[in-house]
Amino acid sequence: MDYTVRIEPLGQTIDIAAGQTLLDACLRQGVWLPHACCHGLCATCKVQVVDGEIDQGSASDFALMDFEREEGKCLACCATPMSDLVIEADLEEDSDAQNLPLQDFKGTVTAIDDVTPTIRVIRMAVQTAHPVQFQAGQYLNLKVPGCDDARAFSIANAPHDGEIELHVRRVPGGAATGWLHDELQHGAQLEFSAPFGRFFVRKQAQVATIFLAGGSGLSSPKSMIVDLLHEGSTLPITLIQGARNREELYFADFFEALARRHPNFRYLPALSDEPQDSEWSGPRGYVHEVLKQQFTDAAGVTDFRGHKAYLCGPPPMIEACIKTLMQGRLFEKDIYTEKFLSAADAGEAAKSPLFRI
């Protein structure tokens, strides 16, 4: 039996199947709802049920308290319909958002490259008549054999590229990343859903951009930068890529070649733990330290105004970079971050008090 859901304040009505979550129904019909963990733990997708009956599903008591349930609130990632519904959601309108519908795909692995001791690059050809539609910076949910829940990975290629590229960092003890590093073979078929996320370049602003990346967090900035340059952007673009040492630095040759072809693109690889006696002549330090060095003038004034910054990497790196950017007079409306939350850590993940995931 199928039902309908009217989403306010949009006034839009969509179809929803029995057993289908509110979040899945909305995303598949091009209606974006705020969300993060998708496991009922982080409360990002909390909405108000104005009319109708729902099954709360596996929403945790921490993310959705008893009094909130009594008030008619639910978590869209868990709640399923028991009747036609009217819901009210806190929706953010963004003129740069394409609001592409969520779709399911099957890809065939065409290339596997171990680019660092812990990061593997995987490329897939997608079995569909049309390329996967997504905005540069968005991510997909990948079904990994032996894992009950799909895993989120940023899409590292630009939308005009016919294949899908993923950067997978091995997580110690991680079942999904362990399988992708140890078991995945060329020619394997993997299923995934895309696109997810609100991490994309605000192109209409027409301002200079700063990309700050650490580890496999390079994937989203790579997609966004290649997309900007492919479209012919001539605005200044800076990428600071953090790694501990040269062994863990990857795609440096790719970005150096990109910088030679595009005068408006500046690439700065920053190494935080490279031996002092090595031949490395590039910047040393953490990403936020190199960021401050590059945007501080001769008088010692650090100023990031007139930019938008996009941050993707480990939470400590993101927090340090946010602090540096704000000290240089760039504030929340011009700083964008991407963080992934698993079922294991969603309830405990540290969040900046100033930024929502």
Side-chain angles (χ1 to χ4, degrees), residues 242-248 270-278 280 283-287 289:
R244 287 192 296 179
N245 49 53
R246 282 189 293 179
E247 188 180 31
E248 296 184 0
L271 302 185
S272 61
D273 195 28
E274 177 69 7
Q276 291 297 323
D277 59 354
S278 75
W280 176 254
R284 293 175 181 267
Y286 292 104
V287 171
E289 294 171 334

Side-chain angles (χ1 to χ4, degrees), residues 161-228:
D161 187 341
E163 291 196 330
I164 291 293
E165 179 182 309
L166 306 178
H167 300 179
V168 180
R169 180 180 66 86
R170 182 192 289 273
V171 177
T177 61
W179 189 91
L180 291 170
H181 273 258
D182 299 331
E183 306 294 336
L184 184 65
Q185 301 292 325
H186 287 79
Q189 293 189 340
L190 297 173
E191 296 178 359
F192 65 92
S193 301
F196 289 93
R198 300 285 276 188
F199 194 55
F200 51 83
V201 177
R202 273 58 181 181
K203 296 178 181 178
Q204 293 186 34
Q206 286 294 293
V207 296
T209 51
I210 301 170
F211 294 93
L212 306 171
S216 60
L218 179 67
S219 49
S220 289
K222 176 177 178 288
S223 174
M224 297 156 93
I225 291 166
V226 172
D227 182 54
L228 283 170

Side-chain angles (χ1 to χ4, degrees), residues 54-134:
I54 55 147
D55 183 333
Q56 292 282 7
S58 58
S60 79
D61 293 336
F62 175 79
L64 190 67
M65 297 184 180
D66 289 342
F67 76 89
E68 292 179 306
R69 296 170 193 254
E70 293 172 2
E71 292 173 351
K73 292 182 173 60
C74 71
L75 301 187
C77 71
C78 299
T80 56
M82 299 175 65
S83 70
D84 291 341
L85 299 170
V86 178
I87 66 170
E88 191 174 87
D90 182 15
L91 302 176
E92 297 177 1
E93 294 187 11
D94 193 314
S95 57
D96 283 293
Q98 294 180 16
N99 295 323
L100 300 167
L102 178 66
Q103 298 184 67
D104 300 320
F105 301 94
K106 183 178 289 184
T108 300
V109 176
T110 58
I112 300 173
D113 187 11
D114 293 324
V115 293
T116 80
T118 59
I119 296 175
R120 165 171 280 195
V121 173
I122 300 168
R123 288 188 67 88
M124 295 186 292
V126 183
Q127 301 170 16
T128 179
H130 306 285
V132 179
Q133 287 189 300
F134 65 97

Side-chain angles (χ1 to χ4, degrees), residues 323-339:
K323 182 177 180 181
T324 299
L325 289 166
M326 295 185 74
Q327 289 172 341
R329 292 182 285 185
L330 195 71
F331 300 110
E332 180 179 1
K333 68 181 181 65
D334 294 315
I335 301 174
Y336 304 88
T337 69
E338 181 70 299
K339 297 178 183 178

